[in-house]
Amino acid sequence: MSVWKLSAICWLLLCGAGCASREDDAAMLPAPLSPPVVVEDGCIRIPPNSPMLAQLRIAPVETAELPTAEVVAPGKIEVNPNRVAHILLPVAGRVTGVMVKLGDAVREGQPLLAVQSPDADAAMSTYLQAQASVTQAKAAVGKAQADLDRLRDLFTHNAVAKKEVLDAENALTQAKAALAQTVAAHEQAAQRLALLGLKPGGFKQQVIVRAPLAGKVLDLSVVPGEFRNDTSMSLMTIADLSTVWVAADVPESYIRFVQIGEPVEINLVAYPGETFEGRVMRIADIVDPQTRTIKVRAEMQNPQERFRPEMFGSIHHIEAKKAVPVLPAGAIVQGDEHPMVFVEQAPGQFRQTRVTIGKRTGDLTPILSGVRAGERVVVDGVMLLSGLSSQLSLPTPRARVDGDVPPHSS
């Protein structure tokens, strides 16, 4: 190889090495830094090009109607006492048939039980005897009337004394009184048969017990073949569940907010997230001395029978509402001593502000002091700002009072 070619190769290698060295030096130089988060006059200032701003969502403080006087009390569903029937036997006897089962839906007048009872035959015998007595009494009245008419005719011809006419009139009066008594006894016997559901004229009839109202069979404690002598014991319970009552124990300090006829909202454990409507039907007349509560019962429509007795829930009654500034619960962070929010002073500039809050309603929290309606507040990303404020050791903010100049809202 010639000297000239060797010199050219060396020159090319030296040039390549120099270029590579300059590229490595450029790669090792630090990238330009974005402006840091700073604190100025008690505010957090985030640079416009910082990715932190994309993690924040800012919204104005809104106004909403929230309750200022309300009652919330636990309760449970009960059977409507005006629509429940306890089935008793009208006579003692042997139960020969039970026509329904537990849980069956029955209609008004539907047969429930069949009973064979000696009292039914006794009632039939009394009815027939009363019917015969009426026939005899009517015959006696007819005879007394005929005797009186005959004696009056004879008296007009001076054939009998006046005394005999008076005796005949007295006999007619007594016969009519006896007829009235037998008619009353006959009607009573007929009413007894109608009450037992028996037809006049036949013995050994079974007594059929029928449903007094339409509803569901909630309790059944009798089987065919049993002899029941106690006519005061309930054999079956039927309830109309188209309406139910919700009974709640309201503290006596809140009972002034509840009136008969007012609407209430009802929430049930069985149906979370749903709210039902009811109306106050009864307020107890006494206070429970143990719990210092008063029983309040509200009626609730139950057309689909979703609500069953003994379900637990609560009633909610709002007495008054007021328009107040509100914020989502996520916009408020709990400070060392007081709740805090971050108010936007200017784009990228946020001041930590102490607020006074009220009772939370759903996802909204009323703001009693600290910020006003219309001010822009961070509603999402507050934990990021809270962490920055802790690292930068911001001074504890004071609560704003009336007369302070409100911050600039963009």
Side-chain angles (χ1 to χ4, degrees):
M1 180 182 295
S2 65
V3 177
W4 182 84
K5 288 183 179 181
L6 183 61
S7 300
I9 292 172
C10 292
W11 181 82
L12 290 174
L13 291 174
L14 290 175
C15 289
C19 292
S21 178
R22 285 193 298 270
E23 290 177 357
D24 293 341
D25 293 342
M28 295 176 61
L29 292 177
L33 298 176
S34 61
V37 177
V38 296
V39 175
E40 183 179 357
D41 193 21
C43 296
I44 300 175
R45 184 184 297 276
I46 301 177
N49 60 347
S50 174
M52 293 183 183
L53 291 178
Q55 303 179 39
L56 305 179
R57 186 167 64 89
I58 304 166
V61 178
E62 299 180 352
T63 302
E65 295 278 342
L66 295 185
T68 57
E70 60 180 338
V71 179
V72 179
K76 68 175 182 177
I77 293 180
E78 295 180 347
V79 174
N80 186 342
N82 301 320
R83 300 294 299 170
V84 62
H86 300 283
I87 307 302
L88 311 177
L89 286 182
V91 290
R94 186 176 304 280
V95 178
T96 59
V98 179
M99 291 81 161
V100 295
K101 301 185 294 296
L102 186 66
D104 283 355
V106 299
R107 62 184 182 277
E108 184 177 354
Q110 177 178 334
L112 303 175
L113 304 170
V115 183
Q116 191 171 15
S117 171
D119 293 342
D121 289 340
M124 183 63 68
S125 176
T126 301
Y127 171 79
L128 295 177
Q129 291 176 6
Q131 191 176 37
S133 297
V134 169
T135 302
Q136 292 177 355
K138 286 182 179 180
V141 170
K143 180 180 180 301
Q145 184 68 51
D147 291 344
L148 178 60
D149 293 341
R150 180 176 57 83
L151 290 174
R152 282 177 177 174
D153 183 62
L154 293 174
F155 179 73
T156 57
H157 295 85
N158 296 321
V160 294
K162 178 69 173 176
K163 180 179 179 301
E164 293 185 17
V165 176
L166 295 177
D167 289 343
E169 291 177 349
N170 185 44
L172 178 59
T173 302
Q174 291 180 359
K176 288 182 177 180
L179 176 60
Q181 290 178 355
T182 55
V183 168
H186 179 265
E187 290 181 354
Q188 184 178 11
Q191 189 70 21
R192 175 68 172 169
L193 290 184
L195 183 64
L196 297 178
L198 303 177
K199 296 180 179 179
F203 289 92
K204 295 184 179 180
Q205 297 185 50
Q206 291 189 347
V207 178
I208 304 299
V209 181
R210 300 179 181 275
L213 51 78
K216 287 287 190 70
V217 179
L218 301 185
D219 180 62
L220 182 62
S221 59
V222 63
V223 295
E226 287 187 277
F227 186 89
R228 292 300 182 99
N229 191 40
D230 186 1
T231 57
S232 63
M233 179 181 296
S234 175
L235 305 182
M236 188 183 307
T237 301
I238 298 176
D240 180 6
L241 299 179
S242 61
T243 62
V244 293
W245 281 20
V246 180
D249 297 319
V250 176
E252 62 177 321
S253 57
Y254 290 96
I255 197 63
R256 66 184 185 276
F257 297 134
V258 183
Q259 303 295 330
I260 292 179
E262 290 185 333
V264 294
E265 294 180 352
I266 300 170
N267 300 100
L268 298 175
V269 176
Y271 303 106
E274 295 188 61
T275 300
F276 308 98
E277 294 184 357
R279 188 166 299 276
V280 178
M281 300 299 294
R282 176 168 173 77
I283 301 176
D285 299 320
I286 60 174
V287 178
D288 188 321
Q290 302 297 327
T291 61
R292 307 308 303 175
T293 58
I294 299 174
K295 188 74 73 176
V296 174
R297 290 179 170 88
E299 186 177 78
M300 184 167 52
Q301 297 297 319
N302 187 25
Q304 300 177 353
E305 297 186 358
R306 298 177 65 196
F307 315 131
R308 296 170 172 82
E310 301 301 324
M311 279 185 173
F312 283 99
S314 63
I315 66 170
H316 181 206
H317 173 64
I318 299 175
E319 178 66 18
K321 289 185 176 182
K322 182 181 179 182
V324 294
V326 294
L327 282 174
I332 303 170
V333 61
Q334 183 62 41
D336 294 337
E337 298 180 359
H338 303 280
M340 305 289 182
V341 298
F342 290 92
V343 180
E344 185 185 44
Q345 304 289 100
Q349 182 177 341
F350 308 95
R351 177 181 294 276
Q352 189 178 18
T353 304
R354 189 175 70 189
V355 293
T356 304
I357 61 176
K359 183 180 179 181
R360 177 176 170 178
T361 302
D363 190 49
L364 298 179
T365 302
I367 306 300
L368 306 182
S369 65
V371 294
R372 301 182 180 91
E375 294 187 66
R376 293 174 59 80
V377 174
V378 177
V379 297
D380 192 7
V382 292
M383 298 309 297
L384 174 62
L385 295 181
S386 178
L388 292 175
S389 66
S390 300
Q391 295 175 7
L392 298 173
S393 302
L394 286 176
T396 302
R398 65 184 183 89
R400 185 188 305 163
V401 297
D402 293 339
D404 287 352
V405 178
H408 171 73
S409 298
S410 59

